Amino acid sequence: MTKKFLASSYLGLLLVILYAPILIIVIFSFTEAKVLGNWTGFSMKLYTSLFQGGIHHSLTSALWNTLIIGLVAASVSTILGTMAAIGIYNLQPRPRKAIQLVNSIPILNPDIITAISLFLLFVSLGISQGYTTVILAHITFCTPYVVLSVLPRLRRMNENLYEAALDLGATPFLALRKIMLPELKPGMISGFILAFTLSIDDFVVTLFTIGNEGLETLSTYIYADARKGGLTPELRPLSAIIFITVLVLLLVINQRAAKKKL
Amino acid sequence: MQKSENIIEIEHISHSFGDKTVLDDINLTIGKGEFVTILGPSGCGKTTLMRLIAGFLKASEGKIYIAGSDMTKTPPHRRPVNTVFQKYALFPHLNVFNNIAFGLNLKKLPSTEIKKKVMQVLKIVTMTDYEERDVDSLSGGQQQRVAIARAIVNEPEVLLLDEPLAALDLKMRKDMQMEIKAMHKKLGITFMYVTHDQEEALTLSDTIVVMSEGKIQQIGTPTEIYNEPINSFVADFIGESNILNGTMIDDNLVEFIGHKFECVDKGFGKNVPVDVVLRPEDIYIFEMSDAAKFSGQVTSSIFKGVHYEMMVTTPEGFEIMIQDYHHFDVGKTVGLRIKPADIHVMKKERLCNTFEGTIVDKSHIRFLGHTFKCPTASQFAHGSKVNVNVDFRDVILQDNEEDGMLPGIVSFILYKGDHYHLTVLTEEDENIFIDTNDIWDDGDRIGITISPEAIKIINL
């Protein structure tokens, strides 16, 4: 009995330590105090001022930039990654293994290396840094994750499905659209969500590819803000919103994974 | 061109994956409305042949005509054939109706017509009322019916079936065999059926094409294939059989297991070595009496449901399998006789091993990728190309690959009543044929040795 109690309190303690910082931010997003840690009574003022723009225009524009970059990067890498996965799946075993290794290198590679190499690439190609380079960079590190989430779907699929569609009179394009894509959709959606969260989350690669034309994403904005001394209080409600959003996305992914196993 | 009677014509088709040849110069014509079965062990190239006809593979060499036109390079969606896959390959995200309607929808038929046609085929495969069902909720047999319905609803000229019953249990398989046969009659289109199950082939087909190692061994009706197998491979593969070495003494007279028998085969010449095939149900077994042509002792008897399967050893040392409704006790001496018409004589494919070789020097010759010692090499010019003959009995097999001069794998075993005739595949993909009394298993890795005296050089 005591053993069970000790075990569960240990787990409880761990969870509290893990989630305390986030919880504190969420709690203190509902008060007006400028400094984190002062409770000056419940208020939704930070939430309203976050969405009013005006003084915090740069924060909201950073938020928009982040979302647009995330959506574009996730969409493009979902398309590229799915195409790559289909290609990889249809290779002979030997080249397939080789390409899968190549695909996993960007995932294992430290962010800073990816960041520096992309930075050098863009500079040497003379591409002016800004929206385009950030999106290209995000597509680069997101695509391998999409490949990884679509491949298992392909492996589980009956190997003759595509041929069956051709056999029944579908052109290769129609067979892809009517049979392959519906079959791969769950993997593509998981891949998209994964790519989107990775893109929103990214700091290192973004910092190196964002240039100095005044473009800011959330992560670079917060970093710059913190270095100027003191975080804007509106970051608290923003963090709370992002946390809840990610939590919901995560629950959706897990639900899908659980359903797939059935 | 003619091509009106024949729905499929295959001319000199060869196909290889990398450097492995899976089909070697296949020629085959299939008549309109026929039920043709391609029969062979796994790896014989039968599925490759079917995939070439469906268009999923492009032939390395040769031509394929379907319904009179050259379709060698036509993509699968433009061929008038439909396929039933081994693992059904139903579209999991569509229900039964939409699976069957898939091909019709692509043809943009009006929806009332699609509905009518789908209902019609559902009736043919006895799956009426299942159209709204999810395909994953169906049993294996039901999925197979939907797969067949999905193919025949497009009214193809040829229906290809790739081992469609392999995943079903025995009872289900028997039922489906009957249904497929009935469907063939009703639809009147050509069925091309691929299987490794000889019984299935005999039950279903108008014509059987027996394949082995990428080549067609024999084409014929089920009775022809069963009663008149063209070589020992076909005889062994189709049904149970006793295959024995014999000598054709003269027309209508053959000697085997130490006795002379009257037979109905002729035209082989005098004193020619042959293979003799006896079906186990064609040998009469009875209490020892004057009616016996020869005798034997029962060494085992197993009840097989309808008949008993008995092994009988003759005084001359030959073992023969016999199937009969009556049981004879183990150890009993029995009388045996065979009707002339039940003795099937086949020309021997080869009498000894023949290899292509090159003289290396006065005492060495190279063949099978190995240099052998050979004293008679001195009679031939250095570097000349020659043929090498080695008797089946003169090849020595060893348990350890390393002990032999070259390694090999046992790929085919034929029991000849008193010895085994093995086919051994070398690393260079050449076949060596060996007679031995030792028991080996299919797939055994062995060492091969040929002594210098056994090598007979023949000038080209």
Side-chain angles (χ1 to χ4, degrees):
Chain A
M1 196 60 209
T2 34
K3 219 173 169 186
K4 207 170 175 189
F5 173 73
L6 278 176
S8 53
S9 46
Y10 175 67
L11 179 67
L13 187 67
L14 271 185
L15 285 175
V16 167
I17 293 171
L18 270 177
Y19 283 92
I22 297 168
L23 272 177
I24 287 170
I25 290 219
V26 174
I27 291 167
F28 280 93
S29 70
F30 294 103
T31 188
E32 279 175 41
K34 283 258 183 287
V35 184
L36 187 68
N38 280 1
W39 182 262
T40 54
F42 179 83
S43 153
M44 294 291 284
K45 188 173 159 264
L46 287 181
Y47 281 88
T48 46
S49 77
L50 174 65
F51 290 106
Q52 256 158 14
I55 41 165
H56 297 294
H57 177 71
S58 51
L59 176 59
T60 34
S61 80
L63 178 62
W64 278 119
N65 288 339
T66 306
L67 288 178
I68 290 167
I69 291 169
L71 284 174
V72 173
S75 311
V76 175
S77 43
T78 301
I79 295 167
L80 286 178
T82 306
M83 278 160 49
I86 293 173
I88 290 171
Y89 177 73
N90 285 305
L91 284 173
Q92 296 290 320
R94 258 167 172 272
R96 180 165 63 216
K97 275 211 179 109
I99 304 276
Q100 274 180 290
L101 181 73
V102 171
N103 182 61
S104 60
I105 289 173
I107 294 171
L108 301 171
N109 209 11
D111 273 1
I112 186 71
I113 308 289
T114 313
I116 293 171
S117 51
L118 282 168
F119 172 72
L120 291 176
L121 178 75
F122 292 140
V123 168
S124 66
L125 289 178
I127 301 171
S128 67
Q129 301 204 328
Y131 245 107
T132 331
T133 48
V134 176
I135 288 176
L136 283 177
H138 282 208
I139 292 170
T140 311
F141 69 75
C142 286
T143 307
Y145 288 94
V146 178
V147 173
L148 280 192
S149 62
V150 174
L151 263 182
R153 206 58 218 175
L154 275 162
R155 279 197 209 103
R156 247 202 315 268
M157 210 174 80
N158 184 312
E159 69 231 69
N160 294 126
L161 277 193
Y162 176 70
E163 286 177 350
L166 294 183
D167 190 69
L168 293 167
T171 58
F173 174 74
L174 277 178
L176 187 72
R177 194 167 67 88
K178 296 205 163 209
I179 300 303
M180 296 290 275
L181 290 188
E183 276 303 296
L184 299 180
K185 210 165 73 190
M188 289 167 70
I189 292 174
S190 313
F192 179 87
I193 295 174
L194 195 60
F196 185 60
T197 51
L198 280 170
S199 167
I200 292 181
D201 195 38
D202 180 73
F203 172 66
V204 181
V205 177
T206 312
L207 190 68
F208 273 82
T209 51
I210 204 159
N212 44 16
E213 303 292 312
L215 177 64
E216 295 276 23
T217 67
L218 260 189
S219 55
T220 59
Y221 175 85
I222 295 169
Y223 177 71
D225 199 43
R227 293 194 60 168
K228 264 186 270 166
L231 288 168
T232 329
E234 275 77 10
L235 278 174
R236 270 142 42 197
L238 184 64
S239 309
I241 291 170
I242 293 175
F243 171 68
I244 301 294
T245 316
V246 169
L247 189 71
V248 169
L249 283 181
L250 199 72
L251 285 176
V252 170
I253 294 178
N254 280 353
Q255 197 103 45
R256 298 184 71 92
K259 226 194 262 169
K260 252 188 271 173
K261 268 180 206 140
L262 281 177
Chain B
M1 284 193 191
Q2 20 91 27
K3 324 265 187 211
S4 57
E5 297 280 301
N6 294 325
I7 193 76
I8 295 180
E9 302 205 356
I10 292 166
E11 289 177 1
H12 302 293
I13 281 286
S14 294
H15 193 75
S16 38
F17 297 122
D19 53 4
K20 195 175 173 357
T21 306
V22 281
L23 288 178
D24 186 5
D25 196 27
I26 297 287
N27 288 288
L28 179 65
T29 50
I30 295 174
K32 222 176 185 133
E34 246 186 301
F35 195 125
V36 178
T37 302
I38 312 289
L39 174 66
S42 56
C44 73
K46 56 187 191 299
T47 296
T48 307
L49 182 61
M50 197 215 74
R51 290 171 62 80
L52 284 169
I53 295 172
F56 304 137
L57 292 173
K58 298 271 170 286
S60 318
E61 269 172 64
K63 293 228 171 288
I64 295 174
Y65 297 88
I66 303 172
S69 40
D70 182 356
M71 298 227 170
T72 316
K73 293 194 167 62
T74 311
H77 60 276
R78 285 203 219 108
R79 297 193 185 203
V81 300
N82 284 115
T83 310
V84 177
F85 293 91
Q86 185 175 356
K87 288 181 214 134
Y88 323 132
L90 297 177
F91 306 132
H93 63 288
L94 301 177
N95 65 15
V96 170
F97 183 93
N98 286 322
N99 258 282
I100 299 174
F102 187 80
L104 302 175
N105 279 326
L106 287 171
K107 282 186 204 147
K108 306 240 186 307
L109 294 184
S111 63
T112 48
E113 200 181 330
I114 292 180
K115 194 161 167 56
K116 208 178 99 198
K117 287 193 174 199
V118 172
M119 291 308 163
Q120 237 165 25
V121 288
L122 276 172
K123 209 168 155 195
I124 293 175
V125 297
T126 63
M127 290 280 289
T128 329
D129 298 336
Y130 279 89
E131 66 265 24
E132 295 300 329
R133 287 279 290 271
D134 221 352
V135 290
D136 285 333
S137 70
L138 302 178
S139 71
Q142 290 171 330
Q143 291 195 27
Q144 191 53 272
R145 284 163 211 262
V146 175
I148 293 173
R150 186 179 68 173
I152 60 177
V153 78
N154 300 294
E155 294 161 16
E157 301 265 10
V158 182
L159 184 68
L160 303 173
L161 301 111
D162 182 14
E163 308 227 12
L165 308 183
L168 302 179
D169 61 58
L170 184 67
K171 179 127 179 39
M172 194 71 185
R173 202 153 66 216
K174 298 263 183 213
D175 292 347
M176 281 301 283
Q177 279 175 13
M178 287 304 117
E179 284 188 40
I180 287 177
K181 188 137 176 104
M183 259 178 242
H184 174 248
K185 246 191 204 131
K186 203 181 219 161
L187 296 168
I189 60 172
T190 313
F191 276 38
M192 186 172 160
Y193 195 98
V194 170
T195 184
H196 65 272
D197 183 337
Q198 45 101 7
E199 196 222 303
E200 203 164 280
L202 292 172
T203 312
L204 291 172
S205 332
D206 297 326
T207 306
I208 297 178
V209 179
V210 185
M211 283 185 67
S212 162
E213 294 180 354
K215 289 191 184 106
I216 292 178
Q217 301 291 329
Q218 188 172 5
I219 302 175
T221 64
T223 40
E224 274 167 12
I225 298 269
Y226 189 84
N227 292 333
E228 306 286 326
I230 201 161
N231 58 31
S232 50
F233 171 82
V234 178
D236 184 63
F237 192 70
I238 310 285
E240 305 274 5
S241 55
N242 296 290
I243 301 171
L244 304 158
N245 284 337
T247 308
M248 201 70 190
I249 294 179
D250 204 341
D251 282 354
N252 300 327
L253 189 64
V254 62
E255 181 182 341
F256 58 93
I257 60 170
H259 297 272
K260 289 188 176 115
F261 293 86
E262 230 179 276
C263 67
V264 294
D265 299 86
K266 51 185 137 193
F268 286 86
K270 289 186 183 182
N271 295 317
V272 178
V274 290
D275 277 326
V276 176
V277 179
L278 303 173
R279 294 292 179 186
E281 69 274 17
D282 287 342
I283 302 169
Y284 291 89
I285 178 168
F286 42 84
E287 300 278 342
M288 192 59 200
S289 72
D290 290 346
K293 169 82 185 174
F294 60 109
S295 68
Q297 197 176 27
V298 180
T299 52
S300 78
S301 174
I302 300 163
F303 183 55
K304 288 276 188 170
V306 180
H307 59 260
Y308 291 88
E309 188 172 287
M310 288 163 280
M311 297 303 293
V312 173
T313 309
T314 69
E316 294 82 10
F318 289 92
E319 210 177 4
I320 293 169
M321 181 201 281
I322 295 167
Q323 291 171 354
D324 202 280
Y325 301 120
H326 301 99
H327 164 73
F328 293 87
D329 285 328
V330 173
K332 196 179 174 85
T333 300
V334 289
L336 301 162
R337 64 177 301 131
I338 310 161
K339 278 200 294 191
D342 290 334
I343 296 171
H344 176 59
V345 179
M346 302 182 303
K347 197 168 171 275
K348 272 196 182 289
E349 286 158 89
R350 61 188 72 76
L351 299 172
C352 66
N353 290 294
T354 305
F355 310 110
E356 287 168 10
T358 314
I359 305 290
V360 179
D361 59 32
K362 280 194 191 321
S363 58
H364 289 90
I365 177 164
R366 190 171 177 80
F367 60 94
L368 290 172
H370 182 86
T371 306
F372 292 86
K373 224 184 195 150
C374 175
T376 51
S378 57
Q379 300 162 15
F380 297 90
H382 165 84
S384 58
K385 303 265 177 215
V386 290
N387 268 351
V388 180
N389 281 358
V390 180
D391 275 345
F392 299 142
R393 281 273 169 200
D394 287 342
V395 182
I396 301 152
L397 299 184
Q398 280 132 325
D399 280 316
N400 288 324
E401 279 180 84
E402 297 78 29
D403 293 346
M405 291 168 162
L406 55 157
I409 296 173
V410 177
S411 67
F412 183 59
I413 303 170
L414 198 62
Y415 185 52
K416 286 290 193 82
D418 65 339
H419 68 274
Y420 295 91
H421 186 67
L422 306 185
T423 308
V424 172
L425 193 66
T426 69
E427 281 185 330
E428 308 250 301
D429 252 1
E430 288 212 59
N431 285 325
I432 305 180
F433 303 93
I434 296 146
D435 280 347
T436 174
N437 293 335
D438 301 330
I439 295 170
W440 300 91
D441 272 325
D442 219 355
D444 275 354
R445 297 181 160 274
I446 45 154
I448 302 159
T449 299
I450 301 171
S451 69
E453 300 77 46
I455 298 171
K456 295 178 201 103
I457 303 175
I458 293 151
N459 213 342
L460 279 178

